[in-house]
């Protein structure tokens, strides 16, 4: 390190206490600032006395003579050699002198000082710093806080620096210090006086008399001749200067010329730099502290002139030359002599062992007549005064080692005399000496702490106590100990001076946040206290900026009570400083104080509306981010029509419902191998929605009133941007491009409402919905931007959104040219019905778009809607079809209109719709209407309209049961049918039974019926009936067993053909087993009831598919044969009996096989023979059962083709084989010599064999 002597330009102490530790950059900067401030306020003080003419010369440039000299009193690079005591010398590089008018060299009163400080700090207008701060934006507040912190790291807060300067200035010229006593007198006279010497002597004498309290015979006197270049001759002034040099000495006189600048009226005079504004201090009401009672500078020049406007460069150089010569040649040598004089005198009387003992034992008593406030005072002739003066002179000359020894020497006398004020002053200067030498930090703190204690014991001048603590805090900060400096600042809050308390608390807050580990909450707490003190003393500017910093700290915590208090306080202070925009922001945040009672909330609302009326003044462009009503900007639902359109209520259904319908209704050719979602969005962006021009877009936005008072919300509409070209050219939308609908509503206390806001684009282009705007209570215009959450997109182009959203949350649209759009309206749709009931309603379809459409297709959920033919509107000019009706084609529940049918804009068509469902409860009847534009667009080749209707379906009858195969014939089925009434109130009557395929005749067995030929089923009752079903064309139809039930044909159900076809199709597809190829028997049951709920009659049809259940054999064989055979064996010895063998495939797979008829005649089968002459045949009562042992009888055999092969017998298919049995004698024969070898078609070999079931042939002889 450089020696401290070289750094500060003076002597240093080495070794004692050690040098200060290595400091941080901020602490080092603080130490340098402290040293510079101490050197500036402790420089040699000079008394200035000038004639009135000299003041008039200076007033031409708006200055006084003292103010003229001040900017040039900080002399740099003086390089003057100094030798105070001893033989060693050092050089002073920089020296600052202080010049005061003798009439201002006194200390003002405490009250005057407080008023002056309040006035000075009130001049700091910081509202510009918080002008752009948004009290409701965390980002804005944090930015303001960070800027303040960065500024505080570099420099002190401006008003704190000004406070320190003014506070030290107010304590100048204290009676216990000699630091401010003048060491020289500058006498300035004008050159226009003919007798300058006499004038100078008179001025010196007058100055001595007027300022006798600061005048002493050893005062250095220097004379200045001031010449006005505008009045008088320079040569004459030089002659006057020579006369003064002869009278007072050559080195004691100087000449300064002023007002040498000649204005250039043509080109204008270039302005001179303002060097004097910072040097002119504000005057106190009572004067003193180095300034006049009335301001003497800045007001005396010509109108519109600036400070120093008439001073030329030569004038300024003459002032600088005078001051430098005065300091180097006169002041420094004079101070050297005075220091040597005082040091010699003090050394001879106080230094040495002999003098110390003498002073201790024989010290004189002090003169109590000079005591002040009970403490001893020391006159200029006292040794204590001289020691203190020696220390101050040494400090001025930067001989800090001599100064420190002098302060320590005299402090012992002050302490023993209990002169606490003087003791505190000497210890304070001793501490500053150590700081200037960069000595031991602890030693400097000890001295300053002793000064603080002494001032406290003095107790009558607390301003000195505060000053010592301020110096101590700066020393602690300079040593990188800000936490300890905070304690010193808090200790300086002594009296009830709110301004000083606010400044100290504010500085303590900055130290908290500038410490190595910032404490933001402590910073906010102390800053809030500072703001309160600022507000109490009337300094609302500094109070507002303090509260703004507190808000910045707490903005991220979301603590409602702290936020409310700070916004309320900042709002009041902002009103006081007429910062209405900031006050409006604060009161706006108070609108969400939900925990306050209703009367307080009403006060907040009224005050906000007043401020809003003053700021906005009805200007809609000045929108506020209002928090009332509370808008849910993160959760909005967008209703729009791209290739999918929705009618009322359809949006509420799940996506799966419409996906299944879309997959059915959209032709596969349109999809081109893709699914329905990829096909139409493949040419669009994943962040864009598609819509047509002149079509409405709706956004569901939730508004909530969080207050306990009623509010009125008007002019609610969407804020949109429009671009006619691409996504990069968005501008605010106009009425020519976008039509926005406005809404209004009233929100009761704590009420929520969901509003659908609508907008439509008139021309193709791009639309972006930014947010929502509204008018609160008819006064305040507010707006909120939508902020929909979602995952971030990886690649974001210019103008593209940064987050990915599903279609119902996207707010960016590509508007296509006008495309068709239909509106489907159901009329007469029932509110309630029964399961299985068929209800009829009407449907009207209108093309509400501006383009024609064609290729319409319609589907419904579970085919619950049955569509008839369409009847076109009467205006034939609206259609391109030559018929008044359009038939629909039903294919698997998809109703298609002809491809060449076109529905033009504005055209309507109607049709009858039958509703049929077997579901129970609140059933949704969902339908999808597919159509294509006549002129297809690349990004929208088709559209689908989704509609939904709901109906309450009551339970009716329910069918269940099973189907059995007859053992007699494969063409006969038995249906075990169970009918259950699922309704708890109504009785149902079964009227008709129909087999929907028309392949079987029905015969009801064991069914009861009433007089009206209907089957009654009571509530919650279940009944069972058996139905025989014989395949039509089979021999021996069953008749006469109907027992009252109507077994009707299809035409007798009274249904439209399209309805009956749909019922058949639904019944065919209703059972999964039937779809797999299993055997089914579709049965339709017609019923009616008189409803107790609706008080009217209802009728319907219930269908069921009976399935073959419990089949353990995949193959069946039955034989049809005559029951009785009579043959004349006398005429023909062989009886040939024809038979039919039926082979039935009861499996789920096709089979192949071989039927073998055994022709083994030697295989004698047991049989019955008739006894001769008995006259009894085989049917005699004495005949035993077929299972009895039979005596031998003539054998039988098969004749004709004995091997029958068949291939690919489908499931539930019957193959019939004609065969003949040869009988050779009368009797009863058991025939079973046949078998079936079969296998499934996918098998390569036969693996199953089915033996034929025995049957009996009863043959009698016709001769008997």
């Amino acid at each position: 390190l450089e020696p401290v002597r070289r750094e500060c330009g003076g002597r240093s102490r080495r070794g004692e206490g050690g040098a200060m530790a290595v400091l941080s950059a901020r602490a080092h900067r603080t130490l340098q600032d402290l040293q510079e401030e101490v050197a500036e306020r402790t420089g040699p003080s000079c008394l200035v006395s000038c004639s009135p003419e000299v003041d008039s010369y200076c007033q031409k440039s708006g200055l006084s003579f003292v103010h003229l000299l001040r900017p040039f009193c900080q002399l740099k690079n003086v390089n003057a050699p100094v030798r105070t005591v001893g033989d060693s010398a050092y050089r002073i590089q920089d020296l600052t002198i202080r010049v005061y008018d003798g009439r201002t060299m006194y200390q003002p009163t405490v009250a005057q000082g407080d008023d002056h400080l309040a006035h000075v700090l009130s001049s700091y207008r910081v509202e510009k710093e918080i002008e752009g701060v948004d009290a409701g934006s965390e980002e804005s507040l944090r930015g303001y806080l960070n800027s303040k912190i960065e500024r505080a790291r570099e420099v002190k807060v401006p008003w704190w620096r000004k406070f320190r300067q003014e506070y030290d200035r107010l304590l100048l010229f204290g009676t216990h210090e000699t630091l401010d006593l003048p060491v020289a007198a500058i006498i300035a006279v004008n050159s226009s006086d003919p007798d300058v010497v006499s004038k100078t002597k008179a001025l010196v004498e007058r100055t001595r008399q007027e300022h006798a309290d600061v005048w002493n015979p050893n005062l250095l006197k220097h004379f200045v001749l001031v010449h006005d270049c505008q009045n008088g001759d320079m040569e004459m002034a030089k002659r006057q200067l020579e006369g003064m040099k002869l009278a007072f000495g050559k080195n004691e006189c100087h000449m300064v010329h002023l007002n040498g600048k000649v204005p250039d009226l043509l080109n204008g005079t270039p302005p001179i730099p303002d060097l004097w504004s910072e040097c002119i201090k504000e005057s106190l009401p009572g004067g003193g502290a180095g300034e006049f009672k009335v301001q003497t500078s800045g007001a005396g020049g010509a109108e519109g002139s600036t400070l120093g406007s008439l001073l030329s460069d030569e004038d300024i150089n003459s002032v600088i030359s005078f001051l430098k010569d005065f300091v180097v040649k006169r002041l420094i040598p004079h101070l050297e002599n005075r220091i040597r004089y005082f040091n010699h005198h003090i050394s001879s009387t106080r230094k040495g062992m002999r003098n110390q003992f003498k002073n201790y034992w024989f010290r004189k008593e002090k003169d109590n007549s000079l005591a002040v406030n009970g403490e001893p005072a020391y006159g200029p002739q006292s040794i204590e005064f001289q020691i203190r003066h020696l220390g101050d002179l040494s400090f001025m000359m930067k001989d800090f080692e001599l100064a420190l020894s002098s302060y320590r020497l005299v402090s012992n006398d002050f302490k023993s005399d209990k002169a606490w004020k003087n003791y505190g002053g000497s210890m304070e200067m001793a501490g500053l000496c150590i700081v200037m030498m960069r000595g031991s930090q602890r030693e400097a703190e000890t001295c300053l702490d002793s000064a603080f204690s002494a001032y406290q014991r003095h107790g009558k001048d607390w301003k000195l106590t505060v000053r010592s603590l301020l110096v101590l805090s700066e020393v602690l900060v300079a040593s990188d100990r800000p936490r300890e400096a905070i304690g010193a600042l808090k200790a300086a809050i002594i009296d009830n001076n709110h301004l000083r308390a606010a400044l100290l608390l504010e500085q303590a807050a900055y130290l908290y946040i500038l410490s190595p580990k910032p404490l933001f909450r402590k910073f906010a707490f102390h800053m809030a206290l500072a703001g309160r003190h600022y507000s109490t003393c009337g300094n609302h500017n500094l109070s507002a900026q303090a509260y703004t910093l507190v808000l910045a700290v707490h903005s991220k915590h979301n603590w409602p009570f702290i936020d409310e208090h700070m916004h309320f306080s900042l709002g009041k202070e902002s009103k006081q400083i007429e910062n209405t925009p900031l006050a409006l922001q604060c009161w706006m945040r108070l609108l969400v104080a939900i925990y306050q009672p209703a009367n307080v909330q009403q006060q907040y609302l009224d005050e906000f509306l007043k401020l809003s009326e003053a700021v906005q003044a009805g200007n809609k462009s000045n929108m506020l981010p209002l928090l009332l009503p509370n808008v849910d900007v993160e959760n909005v639902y967008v209703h729009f029509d791209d290739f999918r359109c929705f009618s009322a209520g359809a949006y509420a259904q799940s996506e799966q419902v419409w996906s299944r319908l879309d997959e059915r209704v959209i032709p596969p050719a349109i999809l081109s191998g893709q699914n329905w979602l990829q096909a139409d969005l493949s040419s669009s962006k994943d962040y864009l929605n598609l819509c047509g021009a002149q079509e409405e877009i709706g956004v569901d936005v939730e508004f909530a009133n969080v207050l306990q008072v009623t509010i009125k919300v008007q002019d609610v509409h969407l804020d949109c941007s429009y671009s006619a070209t691409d996504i990069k050219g968005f501008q605010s939308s106009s009425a020519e491009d976008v039509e926005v609908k406005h809404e209004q509503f009233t929100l009761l206390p704590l009420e929520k409402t969901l509003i659908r806001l609508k907008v439509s684009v008139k021309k193709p282009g791009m639309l972006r919905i930014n947010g929502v705007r509204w008018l609160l209570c008819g006064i305040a215009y507010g707006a909120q931007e939508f902020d929909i959450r979602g995952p971030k997109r990886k690649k974001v182009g210019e103008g593209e959104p940064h987050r990915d959203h599903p279609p119902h949350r996207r707010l960016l649209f590509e508007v296509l040219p006008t495309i068709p759009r239909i509106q489907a309206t159901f009329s007469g749709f029932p509110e309630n019905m029964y399961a299985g009931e068929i209800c009829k309603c009407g449907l009207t379809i209108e093309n509400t778009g501006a383009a024609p459409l064609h290729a319409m297709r319609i589907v419904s959920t579970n085919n619950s809607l049955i569509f008839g033919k369409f009847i076109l509107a009467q205006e034939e000019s609206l259609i391109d079809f030559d018929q008044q009706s359009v038939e629909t084609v039903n294919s698997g529940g998809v109703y298609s209109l002809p491809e060449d049918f076109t529905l033009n804009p504005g055209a309507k068509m109607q049709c009858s719709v039958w509703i049929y469902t077997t579901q129970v409860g609140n059933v949704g009847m969902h339908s999808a209407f597919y159509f294509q534009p006549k002129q297809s667009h690349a990004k929208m080749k088709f559209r689908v309209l989704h509609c939904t209707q709901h109906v309450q379906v009551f339970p009716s009858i329910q069918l269940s049961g099973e189907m059995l195969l007859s053992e007699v014939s494969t063409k006969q089925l038995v249906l075990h049918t169970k009918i259950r009434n699922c309704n708890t109130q109504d009785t149902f009557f079964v009227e008709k039974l129909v087999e929907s395929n028309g392949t079987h005749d029905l015969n009801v067995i064991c069914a009861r019926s009433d007089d009206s030929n209907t089957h009654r089923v009571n509530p919650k009752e279940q009944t069972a009936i058996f139905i025989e079903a014989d395949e039509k064309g089979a021999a021996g139809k069953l008749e006469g067993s109907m027992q009252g039930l109507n077994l009707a044909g299809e035409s007798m159900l009274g249904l439209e053909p399209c309805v009956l076809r749909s019922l058949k199709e639904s019944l065919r597809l209703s059972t999964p087993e039937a779809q797999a190829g299993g055997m089914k028997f579709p049965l339709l049951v017609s019923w009616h009831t008189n409803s107790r709920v609706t008080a009217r009659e209802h009728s319907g049809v219930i269908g069921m598919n009976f399935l073959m259940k419990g089949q353990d054999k995949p193959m069946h064989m039955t034989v049809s044969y005559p029951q009785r055979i009579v043959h004349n064996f006398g005429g023909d010895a062989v009886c040939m009996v024809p038979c039919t063998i039926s082979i039935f495939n009861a499996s789920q797979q096709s089979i192949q096989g071989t039927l073998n008829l055994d022709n083994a005649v030697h295989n004698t089968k047991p049989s019955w023979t008739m006894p001769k002459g008995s006259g009894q045949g085989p049917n005699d009562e004495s005949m035993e059962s077929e299972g009895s042992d039979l005596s031998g009888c003539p054998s039988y055999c098969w004749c004709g083709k004995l091997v029958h092969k068949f291939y690919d017998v489908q499931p539930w298919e019957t193959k019939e084989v004609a065969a003949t049995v040869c009988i050779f004698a009368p009797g009863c024969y058991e025939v079973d010599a046949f078998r079936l070898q079969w296998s499934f078609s996918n098998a390569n070999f036969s693996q199953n064999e089915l033996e034929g079931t025995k049957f009996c042939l009863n043959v009698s002889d016709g001769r008997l």
Side-chain angles (χ1 to χ4, degrees), residues 201 456 748 776 837-838 949:
K201 292 180 180 180
Q456 272 194 321
L748 299 177
L776 178 62
E837 182 181 1
I838 300 175
Q949 302 289 333

Side-chain angles (χ1 to χ4, degrees), residues 257-560:
H257 50 84
L258 306 176
N259 306 325
K261 179 178 288 187
V262 179
D264 189 352
L265 300 178
L266 295 178
N267 300 325
T269 304
I272 192 172
D274 186 6
L275 305 174
W276 295 273
S277 295
E278 295 184 359
C279 300
I280 300 176
K281 308 299 181 181
E282 293 190 27
S283 300
L284 279 74
E291 294 293 341
F292 290 98
K293 185 177 181 180
V294 179
Q295 190 71 45
T296 58
S297 296
E303 183 177 357
S305 62
T306 59
L307 298 179
S309 58
L310 297 180
L311 297 178
S312 63
D313 293 340
E314 291 78 7
D315 298 338
I316 295 176
N317 290 333
S318 66
V319 174
I320 296 175
S321 177
F322 148 65
L323 287 175
K324 190 170 184 179
D325 290 345
F326 165 69
V327 170
V328 175
K329 297 180 179 180
R330 296 278 291 157
L331 182 60
I332 292 178
H334 172 73
L335 293 178
E336 286 179 333
N337 294 331
R338 297 300 298 167
I339 290 173
R340 285 196 293 268
Y341 169 76
F342 282 122
N343 183 65
H344 176 73
H345 178 67
I346 293 169
S347 298
S348 61
T349 57
R350 294 297 301 272
K351 293 184 178 181
M353 186 67 66
R354 178 172 175 272
N355 290 330
Q356 289 181 9
F357 277 107
K358 181 180 179 181
N359 179 67
Y360 181 79
W361 293 106
F362 303 102
R363 190 177 181 189
K364 297 181 179 179
E365 294 292 334
K366 300 298 176 184
D367 188 2
N368 292 331
S369 61
L370 299 177
V372 178
N373 295 327
E375 289 189 4
Y378 304 93
Q381 303 302 323
S382 63
I383 189 62
E384 291 84 1
F385 180 89
Q386 293 176 1
I387 297 174
R388 172 60 195 260
H389 196 37
L390 173 62
D392 291 340
L393 292 177
S394 302
F395 198 96
M396 296 176 192
M397 297 302 294
K398 303 183 184 301
D399 191 352
F400 301 118
E401 184 176 352
L402 177 60
L404 181 60
S405 63
S406 301
Y407 292 137
R408 284 181 169 173
L409 178 62
V410 73
S411 64
N412 295 326
D413 294 343
F414 292 149
K415 186 175 183 180
S416 62
D417 293 340
K418 296 183 179 181
W420 301 117
K421 185 176 181 179
N422 297 76
Y423 174 70
S426 61
M427 294 307 297
E428 184 179 359
M429 291 304 299
L432 290 178
C433 284
I434 299 174
V435 171
M436 297 300 288
M437 293 187 299
R438 296 196 178 187
S440 172
Q441 194 70 33
R442 291 294 182 183
E443 190 176 357
E445 294 170 17
T446 301
C447 294
L448 293 172
D449 189 64
S450 300
F452 163 69
S453 301
Y455 286 139
Q456 272 194 321
R457 297 188 68 174
H458 173 64
K460 297 180 178 62
D461 201 346
W462 48 262
K463 282 195 171 185
L464 297 174
T465 307
V466 173
R467 186 180 71 178
S468 65
L469 289 173
L470 294 179
V471 176
L472 177 60
S473 67
E474 291 178 348
V475 172
L476 292 171
V477 172
S479 61
D480 260 348
R481 288 185 291 168
R483 299 287 178 84
E484 298 181 25
I486 293 172
L489 292 173
K490 291 181 179 180
I493 306 175
I494 296 175
D495 59 343
N496 294 325
N497 190 305
H498 293 285
L499 177 61
R500 188 167 59 253
L503 288 164
L504 294 171
L505 287 170
E506 183 182 33
Q507 191 64 17
Y510 277 115
L511 291 179
Y512 273 120
I513 208 170
L514 294 176
S515 58
K517 293 183 179 180
L519 302 177
F520 285 93
R521 290 171 61 181
K522 285 185 177 292
F523 164 80
F525 177 74
H526 287 78
M527 193 62 73
L529 293 178
R532 180 176 176 273
H533 283 288
Y534 277 133
S535 178
T536 304
C537 68
N539 198 322
H540 302 290
N541 281 282
L542 299 181
S543 177
Q545 70 89 28
Y547 287 141
T548 305
L549 292 173
V550 178
L551 268 180
V553 173
H554 292 298
S555 59
K556 65 178 180 180
H557 295 300
N558 194 21
W559 292 335

Side-chain angles (χ1 to χ4, degrees), residues 14-26:
R14 298 171 183 256
E16 184 179 350
M20 291 188 179
V22 178
L23 305 177
S24 65
R26 181 176 176 274

Side-chain angles (χ1 to χ4, degrees), residues 715-915:
D715 195 20
V716 186
H717 63 279
L718 295 173
D719 177 26
C720 304
S721 298
Y722 174 78
S723 173
T725 55
D726 54 15
I727 199 172
K728 303 176 183 178
F730 277 111
Q731 294 181 354
S732 181
S733 60
S734 62
E736 299 178 355
D737 304 324
V738 178
E739 180 181 358
V740 181
K741 291 190 176 181
H742 298 250
E743 303 289 342
Q744 63 179 6
F745 51 88
T746 300
L747 289 176
L748 299 177
L750 305 179
E751 182 185 4
K752 291 183 179 180
T753 184
L754 188 67
I755 302 296
R756 181 170 296 178
L757 303 176
K758 298 179 180 179
V759 60
S760 61
V761 186
K762 299 180 180 180
K763 299 182 295 185
M766 304 290 293
L767 175 70
R768 183 177 64 201
I769 301 176
N770 303 318
V772 60
R773 296 186 176 189
W774 68 91
L775 177 63
L776 178 62
C777 298
I779 296 177
Y781 289 95
Q784 284 286 350
E785 290 189 359
F786 293 134
D787 185 17
I788 303 176
R789 302 298 182 184
K792 292 185 177 180
R793 301 177 63 241
K794 294 182 179 179
K795 295 182 180 180
V796 181
E798 183 179 355
E800 296 180 1
H802 294 272
R803 295 186 178 273
D804 190 17
H805 303 113
H808 65 278
R809 291 183 179 273
R810 294 177 190 161
L811 299 176
L812 192 60
F813 292 86
E814 181 178 358
V815 184
L816 304 178
T818 305
I819 51 180
R821 188 182 189 277
I822 64 173
Q823 179 179 353
T825 305
F826 289 90
S827 59
F829 206 92
E831 295 182 0
N832 44 59
M833 59 185 294
Y834 283 84
E837 182 181 1
I838 300 175
C839 298
K840 185 179 180 180
C841 67
L843 170 65
T844 301
I845 297 179
E846 179 184 2
N847 185 358
T848 58
L853 60 90
H854 72 117
M856 182 175 291
R857 293 158 60 93
I858 309 173
V859 296
S860 62
T861 305
N862 299 326
N863 299 328
S864 56
L865 300 180
I866 305 170
F867 298 88
K869 64 180 179 180
F870 283 91
I871 307 299
L872 301 177
Q874 297 298 322
E875 294 81 4
E876 298 181 358
S877 60
L878 297 178
I879 59 175
D880 294 337
F881 199 69
D882 57 355
Q883 300 291 334
Q884 293 297 318
S885 62
V886 182
E887 293 288 346
T888 59
V889 178
N890 182 6
S891 175
V894 180
Y895 295 83
S896 303
L897 275 68
E899 283 285 340
D900 56 352
F901 167 69
T902 301
L903 190 65
N904 287 327
K908 296 181 181 179
M909 58 182 182
Q910 299 175 347
C911 77
S912 297
V913 180
W914 289 269
I915 309 166

Side-chain angles (χ1 to χ4, degrees), residues 974-993:
V974 178
L975 307 180
H976 182 199
T977 307
K978 298 177 182 179
I979 304 176
R980 183 175 181 269
N981 185 355
C982 300
N983 200 295
T984 59
Q985 299 182 2
D986 299 327
T987 300
F988 287 82
F989 298 90
V990 178
E991 295 179 330
K992 301 175 183 178
L993 303 176

Side-chain angles (χ1 to χ4, degrees), residues 57-105:
Y57 295 163
C58 297
Q59 284 295 327
K60 292 181 180 181
S61 295
L63 300 167
S64 66
F65 186 69
V66 173
H67 294 151
L68 174 67
L69 300 179
R70 280 183 180 172
F72 315 106
C73 290
Q74 295 182 356
L75 301 177
K76 304 294 182 180
N77 300 322
V78 175
N79 197 22
V82 178
R83 186 174 66 241
T84 53
V85 294
D87 297 331
S88 61
Y90 61 94
R91 289 184 174 273
I92 294 180
Q93 300 296 335
D94 304 327
L95 184 64
T96 300
I97 64 173
R98 297 176 292 158
V99 291
Y100 302 104
D101 193 290
R103 294 166 291 180
T104 64
M105 298 181 72

